[in-house]
Amino acid sequence: MYQWRKFEFFEEKAAGRGGGGGGSSAAVPAEIAGRVTCCSGGRGRVAVGCDDGTVGLLDRGFRLSYGFQAHASSVLFLQQLKQRNVLVTVGDDDQSSSQSSAICLKVFDLDKVQEEGSSTTAPFCVQILRIFTDHFPQAKITSFMVLEEAPPILLIAIGLDNGFIYCIKGDIARERITRFKLQVDAASDGSTSLPITGLGFRVEGQAHQLFAVTPSSVTLFNLHVQPPRRQTLDQIGCQTNAVAMSDRMDLIIGRPEAVYFYEVDGRGPCWAFDGDKKFVGWFRGYLLCIIEDQRTQKGTLNVYDLKNRLIAHSMPVGDVSHLVCEWGYIILIMDDKKILCIGEKDMESKLDMLFKKNLYTVAINLVQSQQADPASTAEVLRKYGDHLYGKQEYDEAMSQYIHTIGHLEPSYVIQKFLDAKRIYNLTNYLEKLHDRGLASKDHTTLLLNCYTKLKDVEKLNNFIKDEDGIGEIKFDVETAIRVCRAAGYHEHAMFVAKKSGRHELYLKILLEDLGRYDEALQYISGLEANQAGLTVKEYGKILVEHRPAETVEILLRLCTNLGDPTTRRGSNSMHLLMIPSPMDFVNIFVHSAQYLMEFLENYIKAVKDSPAQTEIHNTLLELYISNDLSFPSISQENGFENHNTKETNGKETANGYKSGTRDKANLGKEDTKIAKSIVDRRRKGLALLKSAWTSEMQDPLYDVDLALILCNTHAFKDGLLFLYEKLKLYKEVISCYKQAHDHQGLIACCKKLGDSSQGGDPSLWGDLLKYFGELGEDCSKEVKEVLTYIEKEDVVPPIVVLQTLSKNPCLTLSVVKDYIARKLEQESKLIEDDRKSIDKYQEETELMKREIEDLKTNAKVFQLSKCTACTFTLDLPAVHFMCMHSFHLRCLGDNEKECPECAPEYRSVMEAKQKLEQNARDHDIFFRQLRGSKDGFSVVADYFSKGIVSKTTVPPENGR
């Protein structure tokens, strides 16, 4: 075997002063007088047994916590349990009888301490068992081992010098135990004396196995079957103290030629360490061997790191009597009771030692084998990489840096390999960085730049498209697309955009870089509605500029779902809310108002109940009514500037022509075409105004204020007249005709809108008459026609007619002569009728006055002989009323104060009077009648005649 490297990863630790030690060395306390025969570590203390039967418990400073007399003669073996604070000992006690053996097993509960006299304490002895009985003959005990199953169950194995193993299993404290014995194979030479030199338990789940070692064999007993099954693993063995168990529960035996490991199926690894193994142990993954030199008879402690194949520590030791591990230390108890305490150095110290010797490989293996944290491992790898980089071994250095990904800042490595000569190493590192999903946008940019500089299309394909194009994207999508576009790898950029679902970037490449408009439209057609809508909003201007008709077709399918009949089974309002609104795409037609108009026209034909129909109608009205077909924008502040004219002029100039150089014929054709377009559009506009506000509709399907502004701004008379009429703004309708000096239209409008029987406004005739009176030109024919309707409707008094028409110097008296004559004749007739009514009322009044006076001054003679009520002869008692009606008193009943015949008429008169008085207080009724009457004076006179309007009473002054 080749020579292993030796390191000083361990050092002797200074322990607290023991009873017999001084300085940095320690010793068994002086209170322990006997020779140490056995020891055991566990639960933060070291228990030592002596040949005088005492047991001492030592603390971390090797001071005696307390000691007690465990056995009368000698303590042969002891073991501290891990799960419970219990100590199990085997020792020699006084023989109580000649037939029983003096060797017994004791169990001490270290948590229960009982006082023994004034100066000593001893733990409570839970149980004492005799080891040897009639069925278990006495023999010399050579080995001892205790296994804690499930507390309080213990499994105790006691090896004897005759090859037998006595086992005790159960609750020792309650003496609920079972005993059985095992026997190893006889020796190969035929002798039966095969002492058990070592024992070891192996636990796998519920299965318990026991290794037994003799000087010439290794045997395994399977205890989970009854009877236990024996299996001989090897025909070689070892001496006492050269047996141990590893962390993986493998058996370790030390022989002069080598150290052997055993598993359940036989011999495992073998390590050829020469020398007589006095002690073999296991400590934190290290193999401990105390080897005696045959020539010098001196012992050496070697600590082997088997994973890294190195000697972690080697030091000469004296005569060692016991080896135990506790507190993270290796503790050696010498024959002279001195104690040697050896501890492992911290990882930083070990690594510093290796770094000084440039043993980076060893350092890496060390941190990995000891399961150091990833950050520490990465730091070692970084230093190793720096070491190799300094030696210009760039490939090897990069392999180390790659292992640091995830812990070392990538910029540290990238800066070292930015040189063009090391671009391959840099590419490799960046690839690994992306594979781990730790790359940033800058790393992606750098890697793609490396590919493009190397012109390595194959690697670029592997990186971009991955295997079969189905892997997850391990880089920043936008960065990859940007770099590929800049380097001219448009197909790669498109692949990434499509695979990542970045439809807007895919279309950006198609449209801006490649100009493949048809392919872009086809791609949009295959997208979902919401994605297609988003992409059209972003790139619709380019599409409309180059493929306007196809873009409009796609938008119609998108906004109406015409291509999917299953989703449009009628105009469902909920469904319409889910599909895009056409108003979302208006802005993409900023340079193509004609196609915007076509798009909206086709949309309203397909969809009758769109939620955005008001906005759509507003936009169409602006397109129809404007003088120039420009993009509709109410917020424009440039006076509705003709954008299309500018664009046309620009194109002509670019082609070497100017508008001023066109001949008159071409100019005339262009003007004719524009004029025809305006007429057609305004015809559509008027139709839209009427169809979107029919007589059945209470509110229009467009913004009325906007429509008025548009019609007024662009002098669209027909639209204004329709809107004013719908809004009942009749005076504004008249104003439109006045501004146009359309007298016939003005009169016709008044005939239509001034007819009160049709809900019109008769006062329009007065406004019309005033207009002709102030016109300042001869309009006799029109005035006569107007006077005919004024006379018919009686809306203007004759005096007002004369005053109004007198202002026009071009009108003669002959215009109003016949009208005035007829009105005077009517007035005269009315005056005569009023005179006759006055005379009649005066006569009736005088008659009433005379009757009243007669009633006041003259006696009234009642001559009726019959009762008015019952028509029988009138007898007493009787009641006579001033109205000349007479009644029996019995016929009147309780009401003797009013005539039953005249009372109803009287009451109706009083009620009418009260109602008139109430109406007098309601001013709204008065003014409503006043406004609705042709002759307001007659209304006021009627109120006075009925006594409704009372005179104001002025209170008299004091003293008068």
Side-chain angles (χ1 to χ4, degrees):
M1 181 177 180
Y2 64 89
Q3 189 70 27
W4 282 14
R5 290 177 178 270
K6 291 185 179 181
F7 299 95
E8 294 300 323
F9 290 163
F10 286 77
E11 61 184 352
E12 185 177 353
K13 298 292 183 179
R17 293 187 177 182
S24 62
S25 62
V28 177
E31 293 88 345
I32 301 177
R35 181 177 61 84
V36 177
T37 57
C38 55
C39 67
S40 174
R43 301 184 69 87
R45 287 181 296 190
V46 173
V48 296
C50 301
D51 58 358
D52 58 0
T54 60
V55 172
L57 298 174
L58 307 183
D59 61 12
R60 192 183 185 95
F62 298 108
R63 293 180 291 267
L64 180 65
S65 295
Y66 65 89
F68 62 93
Q69 190 72 36
H71 295 273
S73 178
S74 174
V75 180
L76 302 178
F77 298 93
L78 60 79
Q79 182 175 335
Q80 290 191 82
L81 303 185
K82 302 292 185 182
Q83 300 181 34
R84 293 183 294 161
N85 195 15
V86 172
L87 177 68
V88 182
T89 64
V90 175
D92 190 0
D93 282 329
D94 289 337
Q95 188 172 0
S96 59
S97 65
S98 59
Q99 286 81 15
S100 60
S101 171
I103 305 299
C104 63
L105 181 144
K106 293 184 178 182
V107 179
F108 295 94
D109 188 347
L110 300 182
D111 289 331
K112 297 178 181 180
V113 180
Q114 57 184 358
E115 298 293 334
E116 290 187 357
S118 60
S119 60
T120 60
T121 58
F124 179 71
C125 182
V126 177
Q127 189 59 265
I128 301 175
L129 291 179
R130 296 294 178 181
I131 295 177
F132 302 114
T133 63
D134 294 340
H135 297 287
F136 295 89
Q138 183 173 354
K140 183 180 178 182
I141 300 176
T142 56
S143 58
F144 174 76
M145 181 67 64
V146 180
L147 171 66
E148 295 179 88
E149 289 190 6
I153 306 302
L154 300 179
L155 177 56
I156 301 173
I158 302 172
L160 307 175
D161 62 350
N162 57 7
F164 282 92
I165 303 172
Y166 291 173
C167 296
I168 304 173
K169 182 178 181 180
D171 186 353
I172 306 295
R174 299 182 181 180
E175 205 170 348
R176 296 176 181 176
I177 60 174
T178 58
R179 296 173 182 255
F180 58 93
K181 57 185 174 179
L182 309 172
Q183 184 179 10
V184 299
D185 288 337
S188 59
D189 58 0
S191 65
T192 59
S193 179
L194 294 173
I196 305 299
T197 55
L199 296 170
F201 282 107
R202 180 185 179 96
V203 179
E204 292 182 354
Q206 298 297 324
H208 297 161
Q209 297 167 318
L210 175 63
F211 288 103
V213 182
T214 68
S216 59
S217 67
V218 176
T219 306
L220 177 67
F221 294 95
N222 291 318
L223 304 181
H224 56 281
V225 296
Q226 292 298 330
R229 188 173 65 248
R230 181 179 63 191
Q231 177 185 359
T232 301
L233 301 180
D234 205 347
Q235 295 297 330
I236 59 174
C238 66
Q239 299 301 318
T240 307
N241 295 329
V243 180
M245 295 294 293
S246 71
D247 294 336
R248 297 176 55 191
M249 294 188 180
D250 293 338
L251 178 69
I252 307 171
I253 66 170
R255 291 179 57 84
E257 71 278 6
V259 174
Y260 299 91
F261 282 70
Y262 290 90
E263 299 177 358
V264 294
D265 53 354
R267 184 190 296 180
C270 172
W271 304 92
F273 303 138
D274 292 334
D276 189 10
K277 314 301 186 297
K278 294 297 183 181
F279 286 91
V280 172
W282 189 263
F283 174 75
R284 293 184 175 178
Y286 293 101
L287 174 64
L288 308 179
C289 291
I290 297 179
I291 302 175
E292 185 179 86
D293 192 336
Q294 297 295 331
R295 293 174 298 174
T296 61
Q297 300 298 314
K298 292 183 178 180
T300 302
L301 170 64
N302 287 337
V303 181
Y304 296 100
D305 185 346
L306 301 181
K307 289 184 179 179
N308 298 314
R309 295 178 180 272
L310 56 86
I311 300 176
H313 186 66
S314 181
M315 64 178 295
V317 294
D319 296 329
V320 178
S321 62
H322 297 90
L323 184 151
V324 67
C325 299
E326 187 63 29
W327 306 305
Y329 296 147
I330 303 169
I331 301 171
L332 303 179
I333 301 177
M334 307 300 178
D335 288 343
D336 58 0
K337 291 189 177 182
K338 288 187 178 180
I339 297 176
L340 184 61
C341 186
I342 302 169
E344 186 177 8
K345 294 181 180 179
D346 60 84
M347 180 61 73
E348 185 177 357
S349 300
K350 291 189 286 186
L351 292 177
D352 288 341
M353 184 189 308
L354 294 173
F355 292 155
K356 290 177 181 178
K357 298 180 180 180
N358 292 331
L359 298 176
Y360 294 97
T361 304
V362 177
I364 293 170
N365 294 333
L366 182 64
V367 294
Q368 291 176 346
S369 64
Q370 297 198 1
Q371 299 179 349
D373 61 279
S376 301
T377 305
E379 180 63 18
V380 176
L381 292 168
R382 181 195 65 80
K383 290 185 177 181
Y384 187 29
D386 293 345
H387 173 69
L388 294 172
Y389 185 88
K391 295 170 63 177
Q392 297 184 354
E393 297 178 5
Y394 301 117
D395 294 341
E396 293 79 2
M398 179 54 73
S399 65
Q400 302 304 319
Y401 288 134
I402 287 174
H403 291 304
T404 66
I405 292 176
H407 304 284
L408 180 62
E409 178 62 36
S411 60
Y412 178 85
V413 180
I414 293 172
Q415 289 177 354
K416 290 179 176 289
F417 290 88
L418 284 177
D419 194 333
K421 296 180 181 179
R422 306 182 196 122
I423 192 171
Y424 292 98
N425 299 119
L426 179 59
T427 303
N428 186 24
Y429 180 79
L430 293 171
E431 287 174 346
K432 299 298 182 184
L433 204 61
H434 282 81
D435 290 341
R436 304 277 183 86
L438 300 174
S440 65
K441 296 180 181 180
D442 295 332
H443 300 149
T444 302
T445 303
L446 187 57
L447 177 59
L448 293 174
N449 284 329
C450 290
Y451 285 148
T452 55
K453 287 183 179 179
L454 293 173
K455 299 188 182 303
D456 194 341
V457 180
E458 182 179 357
K459 279 195 172 183
L460 183 60
N461 288 336
N462 293 335
F463 178 76
I464 294 294
K465 299 183 178 181
D466 202 35
E467 296 181 3
D468 301 327
I470 59 175
E472 294 184 0
I473 296 178
K474 302 174 182 177
F475 48 81
D476 183 73
V477 172
E478 292 187 5
T479 302
I481 293 173
R482 175 174 51 80
V483 176
C484 289
R485 288 181 66 194
Y489 291 92
H490 298 107
E491 295 297 332
H492 293 81
M494 289 168 58
F495 177 86
V496 174
K498 188 173 183 179
K499 183 177 179 181
S500 60
R502 303 298 296 272
H503 309 297
E504 71 282 0
L505 296 178
Y506 184 88
L507 290 170
K508 189 173 186 179
I509 300 168
L510 277 177
L511 297 173
E512 296 182 1
D513 298 339
L514 304 177
R516 286 146 58 172
Y517 308 108
D518 295 329
E519 185 177 345
L521 289 169
Q522 185 178 1
Y523 182 80
I524 292 173
S525 300
L527 296 177
E528 295 180 359
N530 58 339
Q531 290 291 341
L534 292 174
T535 53
V536 172
K537 287 178 186 177
E538 187 167 357
Y539 300 105
K541 292 180 182 178
I542 300 176
L543 293 172
V544 170
E545 181 180 357
H546 296 88
R547 298 291 187 274
E550 293 83 353
T551 305
V552 169
E553 183 180 352
I554 285 181
L555 285 176
L556 284 174
R557 288 203 305 269
L558 186 63
C559 295
T560 62
N561 274 346
L562 291 176
D564 188 3
T566 60
T567 59
R568 190 169 180 82
R569 304 177 185 269
S571 294
N572 186 314
S573 59
M574 284 298 296
H575 171 69
L576 291 175
L577 290 173
M578 296 172 61
I579 63 177
S581 169
M583 297 307 299
D584 297 338
F585 307 101
V586 168
N587 289 332
I588 69 175
F589 294 95
V590 65
H591 300 306
S592 305
Q594 177 66 38
Y595 288 99
L596 173 60
M597 185 171 66
E598 293 180 8
F599 168 53
L600 296 179
E601 286 175 347
N602 291 327
Y603 177 81
I604 60 176
K605 290 178 183 178
V607 181
K608 302 299 183 183
D609 52 355
S610 171
Q613 58 185 350
T614 300
E615 292 83 358
I616 295 172
H617 290 157
N618 290 342
T619 306
L620 278 175
L621 284 176
E622 194 168 353
L623 291 169
Y624 288 151
I625 297 174
S626 60
N627 293 324
D628 49 7
L629 187 57
S630 59
F631 181 73
S633 177
I634 302 303
S635 60
Q636 285 184 350
E637 298 178 357
N638 54 6
F640 296 92
E641 183 179 33
N642 189 344
H643 177 81
N644 285 357
T645 303
K646 283 187 171 184
E647 185 176 1
T648 303
N649 292 342
K651 290 182 179 179
E652 291 171 352
T653 304
N655 292 325
Y657 297 95
K658 295 183 179 179
S659 59
T661 62
R662 295 183 300 178
D663 54 35
K664 294 182 178 180
N666 291 335
L667 183 60
K669 291 180 180 179
E670 186 70 22
D671 292 341
T672 302
K673 184 177 180 182
I674 293 175
K676 185 176 182 300
S677 173
I678 294 175
V679 172
D680 292 341
R681 285 190 284 109
R682 293 199 170 183
R683 176 176 51 79
K684 292 180 181 179
L686 182 59
L688 179 60
L689 286 172
K690 293 180 178 180
S691 63
W693 197 0
T694 61
S695 57
E696 292 82 8
M697 296 180 182
Q698 183 176 1
D699 296 316
L701 300 179
Y702 50 81
D703 188 340
V704 178
D705 294 335
L706 172 64
L708 286 171
I709 292 173
L710 291 173
C711 293
N712 194 26
T713 303
H714 299 286
F716 185 29
K717 176 183 174 184
D718 293 340
L720 276 175
L721 292 176
F722 172 78
L723 292 172
Y724 287 151
E725 184 176 342
K726 292 293 289 186
L727 293 171
K728 298 186 182 301
L729 300 175
Y730 300 139
K731 294 187 183 297
E732 281 72 11
V733 177
I734 297 298
S735 298
C736 289
Y737 286 103
K738 289 179 181 178
Q739 292 175 4
H741 293 279
D742 185 359
H743 296 169
Q744 292 302 319
L746 195 58
I747 294 173
C749 178
C750 284
K751 289 179 180 180
K752 178 181 179 182
L753 304 179
D755 189 355
S756 59
S757 62
Q758 300 295 329
D761 184 5
S763 64
L764 295 178
W765 292 107
D767 295 338
L768 181 58
L769 188 67
K770 182 179 180 182
Y771 166 72
F772 286 130
E774 297 174 353
L775 187 59
E777 61 183 44
D778 188 7
C779 51
S780 301
K781 181 180 178 181
E782 290 83 358
V783 170
K784 289 180 179 180
E785 187 173 359
V786 171
L787 289 177
T788 301
Y789 285 95
I790 289 178
E791 183 179 359
K792 177 182 177 181
E793 297 291 336
D794 195 18
V795 294
V796 181
I799 186 64
V800 176
V801 172
L802 291 175
Q803 290 175 349
T804 302
L805 294 179
S806 64
K807 297 178 182 179
N808 190 343
C810 299
L811 296 178
T812 62
L813 185 62
S814 61
V815 176
V816 296
K817 176 181 177 182
D818 295 339
Y819 167 76
I820 294 299
R822 287 192 299 273
K823 294 301 289 186
L824 288 174
E825 183 180 353
Q826 292 175 2
E827 292 293 333
S828 299
K829 185 178 180 180
L830 290 174
I831 291 171
E832 185 63 28
D833 292 341
D834 289 342
R835 255 184 210 147
K836 291 179 180 180
S837 298
I838 291 170
D839 293 340
K840 178 182 176 182
Y841 292 147
Q842 285 178 347
E843 292 176 1
E844 292 177 353
T845 302
E846 288 296 328
L847 180 61
M848 289 181 183
K849 288 181 178 180
R850 286 196 297 271
E851 289 180 359
I852 293 170
E853 184 64 25
D854 183 53
L855 290 173
K856 288 181 178 180
T857 58
N858 300 322
K860 195 74 173 176
V861 179
F862 300 97
Q863 298 178 350
L864 286 178
S865 59
K866 293 184 179 181
C867 176
T868 305
C870 63
T871 68
F872 290 105
T873 303
L874 191 67
D875 55 5
L876 297 175
V879 178
H880 302 278
F881 291 98
M882 299 301 292
C883 59
M884 304 307 292
H885 292 140
S886 301
F887 298 89
H888 292 115
L889 181 61
R890 63 179 178 273
C891 293
L892 288 177
D894 296 333
N895 190 3
E896 301 177 359
K897 294 184 179 181
E898 63 180 9
C899 176
E901 292 292 326
C902 300
E905 182 180 357
Y906 175 74
R907 280 197 295 269
S908 64
V909 172
M910 294 304 296
E911 289 175 357
K913 183 178 179 182
Q914 291 176 359
K915 186 175 181 181
L916 290 174
E917 292 175 352
Q918 291 177 355
N919 290 341
R921 299 189 200 91
D922 192 346
H923 304 300
D924 292 337
I925 295 177
F926 171 74
F927 287 109
R928 193 181 306 121
Q929 293 178 356
L930 194 63
R931 286 193 298 267
S933 175
K934 297 179 181 178
D935 186 4
F937 179 78
S938 62
V939 175
V940 177
D942 184 57
Y943 267 71
F944 273 103
S945 67
K946 295 176 181 179
I948 297 175
V949 180
S950 60
K951 296 181 180 179
T952 303
T953 302
V954 179
E957 296 182 3
N958 296 333
R960 293 185 181 180

